Amino acid sequence: MAVERVRARPDVSASVGVRRYEAEDATALTFGISMPLPLFDRNRGNIDAAQAEFRAADARLAGARQDAEADRQAAVARLNASVSRVSAADAGVTASQEAYRLSRIGFEAGRISQLELRGTRAALITARNAAVDARLARVRAEIDLARLQGARPLEGPNNAQAASQQNAAHRRRRRPRPARRRRAVPGPQ
């Protein structure tokens, strides 16, 4: 806009020259100054066009900022949802492990069939797969959020600390249980 405003000012020009007059056989030195008078053309159209381009660029910038903020908020929502999904999947795994443990006890006591035991084992495997999928979705959501924030994903003290806590909790859950003695359960009489 400043360039177009400067172009609206009149350009003052000076000229110096030599002129030869053949009729008198003389040479003359000439000077001249000229300045256009902008009575009708004050470059108003170009100034208005530059202002419109500036407003359009400003609107595009504001739109890009709003899009980036919306993307960031959506990524935060996906991350929160995936964290909830991980918690629910972990609760499902815990419940499935307990159901399988009880089914095993019932099978060893002769109370349930091998088919029912296999069904609870399949439910446990499905629950574990769902937990893995939930963790994978959470990691992807963390990566998306980090990318939108311009940070490196899965770095920093908070993420490293959280990862080590999750690994320790996972190791505690995976610890083999001591073998239980079989108790004789009296059958129906």
Side-chain angles (χ1 to χ4, degrees):
M1 287 188 304
V3 171
E4 295 301 330
R5 285 189 182 128
V6 168
R7 286 184 184 166
R9 294 183 190 144
D11 291 332
V12 177
S13 61
S15 62
V16 177
V18 176
R19 184 166 185 147
R20 172 109 172 114
Y21 293 104
E22 293 287 332
E24 290 107 26
D25 194 29
T27 305
L29 187 61
T30 59
F31 295 100
I33 295 177
S34 66
M35 182 176 82
L37 298 175
L39 297 176
F40 300 107
D41 182 22
R42 294 190 178 186
N43 206 23
R44 196 72 215 148
N46 289 337
I47 292 172
D48 291 342
Q51 288 174 343
E53 286 177 24
F54 177 76
R55 285 190 303 270
D58 196 35
R60 285 191 302 269
L61 178 63
R65 284 184 179 151
Q66 288 175 348
D67 288 345
E69 181 61 22
D71 290 345
R72 190 193 67 76
Q73 288 177 356
V76 167
R78 281 192 303 271
L79 180 60
N80 291 337
S82 65
V83 167
S84 297
R85 186 175 165 210
V86 166
S87 297
D90 286 345
V93 168
T94 303
S96 295
Q97 285 174 335
E98 183 63 17
Y100 178 67
R101 184 184 71 80
L102 294 173
S103 294
R104 221 177 47 224
I105 291 170
F107 175 73
E108 291 168 357
R111 298 281 183 177
I112 63 170
S113 68
Q114 186 175 9
L115 186 61
E116 289 173 307
L117 180 65
R118 285 184 180 212
T120 55
R121 177 70 179 164
L124 175 60
I125 291 170
T126 302
R128 286 181 178 166
N129 287 340
V132 168
D133 290 342
R135 282 187 173 73
L136 182 61
R138 188 200 66 222
V139 168
R140 286 183 178 153
E142 286 176 356
I143 289 170
D144 287 345
L145 181 60
R147 179 184 53 84
L148 290 171
Q149 291 176 339
R152 291 184 178 163
L154 306 175
E155 282 191 1
N158 293 338
N159 289 332
Q161 183 180 10
S164 67
Q165 288 173 355
Q166 288 172 357
N167 288 337
H170 186 45
R171 275 187 250 117
R172 280 190 301 250
R173 282 193 302 263
R174 291 278 187 172
R175 205 176 299 156
R177 295 185 179 175
R180 296 180 183 228
R181 290 185 181 175
R182 290 187 183 183
R183 285 190 248 162
V185 177
Q189 304 207 357

